Amino acid sequence: QPRALNCNTMQTPMNSVYTHQQSLKRMPQVACGWTQTGPRLLPALQQLNLPSLGRGTSTCSNRLASACKALVAAQVPVHAGYHYDGTPRRFFEGWYWKVTHPETGDSFALIYSIEDPAGGTTHAGVGVQVMGPDGYICQFSPNTRTFWADRSQLALGATLVPRTTTLPRAMLSETEFERYVEQGFQASATVQQGSIVANESGAGGGDLSTVQTCSWNLRIEPVSSWGAVTGGAQKATAGWLSALQVFEPHWQVLMSHGLTTGWVEWGGRRYDFSQAPTYAEKNWGGGFPSKWHWIQCNSWAGQPGLSVTAVGARRALLLGIQAAGIGEEDVGLIGITLPSGDFIELVPWNAELEWDVDPWGRWYMRAVGAEYEAIIEASCASDSGTVLRAPTIASGLVPFCKDSFEGKARIRIWRLSNGTGGAGSSYGSGSESGALPFFEATSDSAAVEVGGGPWWQAWSAKAAMREPFRTLVQLPIDVGALA
């Protein structure tokens, strides 16, 4: 039987990648023989007008094989690696790491971004932001040449102020980094090291820093990425279509849960971490969504290893879809890594998702799939929160979102017994029947965020992924089979 492909997954470890050349090398061995799903999926594929997708009299299997080859050849299949391809357009790539002290709940977010990597624009530069338990610091440099990133693995850095004339272009040992870099950072799946001062010249929004200096040295043990811990595969957070220039921006959870040991020097105060819960994600594209909300927590009371990420966003569509008058869509997801290592993924193509979120202070999100229902709720004080910068298409790196590490969150999960649901159908609901959830947890240290807009009233919406993308994302394409 022909082996089904599943580009919705990526082989572990988390920094494994598949280059364009490697994918093409294995393409002659690929066959797609979906006799049942082919007739339904082929028309959706044809709407994209991809090269090599014929409309002749060849069999459905052969035409789907051609479609797979065209899709793989067209994509940038690397999510852990650096995505910039030299295209002359507005582009950013950003990385986010969060570490939470297991005893005090104090958290830090390390945020790195490159804006217009080729330089020569008013928005070009390298930004380093750190959000701490009681403040914020940002250092920005308009010199993009000090930045480096590996296209084949999760590794990046920048030398904002050098100690020597040599600028690092790869990960260094701890002592080598201190020898060459006075201000800057280096980051990988297992290492975070850096030192910055408040210097926001070139970034939008004026002087927002409340802390003047910050340095850090952290070692990370990744536990789970985006998928089951023991399943041997990492999923693409937004589905395999995130490897194509379809959505704006793209998003990938790099590490849903990890354990960090090390320290952060925060304005003269030292925070030590040992086996602290850690989370990492990245975005890339032209700019952040026009509107979004986000909850992330992997520091739940009495539930080590539990990680929950929930998001709703109004994202832009590319590939000429905007010209057809369809510029944006509301999408969302709830992803849950249980303490057992099992993974529950509720996304627009396998579940119904809805949310009701205030401009600040209250988050509610519900997702119902064929097997599970999940409800996550969060709240924080009206006077809490820190304004962060985010990449925008029109203005570059500017204040564009508000975050807090003091979210009080509750997650409830029901296992649905009927198993008859399907995306687009009316599901049986555990919560509406009054049944008790099979899993429940709470936290006082959830990260919560709202962004974009500005928006002044509650945002109530349902995820509605547009066709043909909702159909295409369900194609069983396996990136691991191409490596």
Side-chain angles (χ1 to χ4, degrees):
Q1 294 294 324
R3 181 178 180 182
L5 304 177
N6 185 1
C7 271
N8 191 44
T9 62
M10 299 225 176
Q11 178 179 321
T12 55
M14 286 166 39
N15 63 350
S16 293
V17 294
Y18 298 94
T19 65
H20 178 68
Q21 291 79 8
Q22 288 173 323
S23 297
L24 293 180
K25 188 182 300 182
R26 289 290 300 275
M27 280 312 300
Q29 304 174 34
V30 172
C32 304
W34 305 306
T35 57
Q36 295 182 356
T37 59
R40 176 174 61 88
L41 295 171
L42 191 61
L45 282 165
Q46 289 172 331
Q47 291 186 47
L48 291 181
N49 293 318
L50 290 167
S52 302
L53 182 54
R55 299 175 181 267
T57 58
S58 59
T59 66
C60 185
S61 295
N62 290 339
R63 293 164 68 190
L64 280 170
S66 297
C68 289
K69 294 177 183 179
L71 289 166
V72 172
Q75 69 181 336
V76 179
V78 179
H79 290 324
Y82 185 38
H83 288 80
Y84 182 59
D85 59 2
T87 303
R89 71 177 185 102
R90 164 70 184 140
F91 181 86
F92 84 93
E93 194 151 351
W95 297 260
Y96 175 100
W97 273 268
K98 174 174 66 73
V99 56
T100 302
H101 198 286
E103 297 176 3
T104 67
D106 291 330
S107 295
F108 287 89
L110 305 171
I111 309 168
Y112 316 118
S113 62
I114 177 72
E115 312 284 330
D116 292 349
T121 71
T122 57
H123 306 320
V126 181
V128 183
Q129 303 177 76
V130 181
M131 176 183 167
D134 57 356
Y136 168 82
I137 183 174
C138 173
Q139 184 166 357
F140 186 87
S141 170
N143 185 0
T144 60
R145 291 175 295 178
T146 67
F147 175 85
W148 66 269
D150 196 314
R151 292 184 59 85
S152 63
Q153 61 181 328
L154 181 56
L156 60 142
T159 306
L160 305 179
V161 176
R163 294 187 187 276
T164 71
T165 57
T166 301
L167 296 181
R169 308 303 296 177
M171 295 295 296
L172 303 176
S173 69
E174 178 181 336
T175 55
E176 287 177 324
F177 179 83
E178 293 176 348
R179 174 186 174 188
Y180 290 109
V181 181
E182 180 177 342
Q183 295 167 21
F185 72 92
Q186 63 174 359
S188 72
T190 58
V191 173
Q192 298 287 317
Q193 186 176 2
S195 179
I196 61 172
V197 300
N199 184 354
E200 297 159 276
S201 178
D207 295 330
L208 302 179
S209 295
T210 59
V211 175
Q212 296 306 303
T213 62
C214 180
S215 57
W216 58 95
N217 193 341
L218 305 168
R219 295 300 180 266
I220 303 169
E221 176 189 342
V223 175
S224 59
S225 50
W226 191 254
V229 173
T230 59
Q234 175 194 359
K235 293 188 174 185
T237 307
W240 69 268
L241 282 175
S242 62
L244 300 173
Q245 191 174 324
V246 175
F247 310 118
E248 187 72 29
H250 293 300
W251 177 49
Q252 177 69 36
V253 174
L254 298 167
M255 180 172 59
S256 65
H257 186 58
L259 298 172
T260 289
T261 298
W263 53 265
V264 177
E265 291 277 1
W266 182 244
R269 180 179 176 183
R270 182 182 174 104
Y271 292 78
D272 289 298
F273 297 90
S274 178
Q275 298 289 284
T278 305
Y279 168 87
E281 67 177 38
K282 69 183 297 187
N283 300 86
W284 65 98
F288 266 39
S290 63
K291 191 176 185 179
W292 77 91
H293 62 85
W294 175 82
I295 304 170
Q296 206 295 314
C297 185
N298 55 354
S299 53
W300 300 87
Q303 297 289 351
L306 173 63
S307 179
V308 180
T309 303
V311 65
R314 181 164 293 167
R315 69 180 176 189
L317 296 171
L318 302 179
L319 279 179
I321 300 300
Q322 289 179 332
I326 307 175
E328 293 182 316
E329 63 179 5
D330 287 344
V331 292
L333 64 79
I334 299 178
I336 305 163
T337 302
L338 293 169
S340 63
D342 293 331
F343 183 65
I344 299 173
E345 182 184 39
L346 299 168
V347 288
W349 54 92
N350 72 10
E352 293 175 351
L353 297 102
E354 61 183 3
W355 57 81
D356 185 28
V357 178
D358 284 346
W360 184 248
R362 182 185 65 87
W363 292 255
Y364 170 90
M365 193 166 184
R366 176 174 179 251
V368 187
E371 299 181 55
Y372 297 98
E373 175 186 357
I375 295 178
I376 183 167
E377 301 164 280
S379 63
C380 67
S382 59
D383 60 351
S384 68
T386 299
V387 173
L388 300 180
R389 291 176 168 91
T392 64
I393 292 178
S395 304
L397 190 65
V398 297
F400 203 50
C401 56
K402 187 176 182 180
D403 287 56
S404 174
F405 293 138
E406 300 174 1
K408 298 183 182 300
R410 179 190 187 195
I411 178 70
R412 290 174 289 163
I413 310 170
W414 290 262
R415 184 180 285 114
L416 305 182
S417 59
N418 57 14
T420 59
S425 67
S426 297
Y427 300 165
S429 172
S431 64
E432 291 181 350
S433 68
L436 295 176
F438 87 90
F439 188 90
E440 183 172 357
T442 61
S443 175
D444 291 331
S445 56
V448 291
E449 179 181 71
V450 296
W455 38 301
W456 310 109
Q457 58 188 8
W459 182 17
S460 298
K462 293 184 177 181
M465 190 173 186
R466 297 184 183 275
E467 294 290 0
F469 303 115
R470 187 169 171 272
T471 297
L472 287 172
V473 77
Q474 299 176 65
L475 277 167
I477 301 176
D478 185 1
V479 168
L482 307 180

